[in-house]
Amino acid sequence: TARPWADILGSGAEPERLRERGTAEDKAQIRGYAAQYAKGIAVVLQSVPRPMLLLFKTNDCLRHAERQLSSGVNSFLITLRFCIGSILKET
């Protein structure tokens, strides 16, 4: 979401609170979180299967492209469709 954790947990159900603002303050806060929790994040990611890591990174890259291009395409649904198709082929 590229938002500070306090905004995500904040009260209220409105989706606007989760929209990326991209302010210098938000970016600094997120960098601070990353530095503080880097070792813990690395430990968790080591236990995640490689295909899931690829899926996480793909989702991240597609969301970034959507934001930059202001596209109306929902890459999450497209990725989901292909993942489900792949799982069905394997079973």
Side-chain angles (χ1 to χ4, degrees):
T1 60
R3 295 298 305 267
W5 192 241
D7 289 356
I8 294 168
L9 294 179
S11 62
E14 62 279 346
E16 290 78 30
R17 70 183 167 83
L18 296 178
R19 290 212 174 100
E20 181 179 355
R21 292 184 305 226
T23 64
E25 181 182 327
D26 283 355
K27 290 177 182 179
Q29 205 170 19
I30 292 168
R31 274 193 303 273
Y33 294 151
Q36 182 179 358
Y37 297 111
K39 287 182 183 178
I41 291 169
V43 168
V44 170
L45 290 177
Q46 285 177 342
S47 67
V48 174
R50 296 291 178 224
M52 284 299 297
L53 289 176
L54 179 60
L55 189 59
F56 294 156
K57 189 59 186 172
T58 300
N59 184 51
D60 182 50
C61 290
L62 289 172
R63 284 188 315 141
H64 179 72
E66 286 175 9
R67 280 195 306 268
Q68 295 300 313
L69 299 173
S70 300
S71 73
V73 175
N74 188 339
S75 64
F76 179 75
L77 291 177
I78 295 168
T79 305
L80 177 64
R81 185 178 305 135
F82 279 94
C83 289
I84 291 173
S86 177
I87 291 169
L88 290 174
K89 285 179 185 177
E90 289 182 11
T91 57

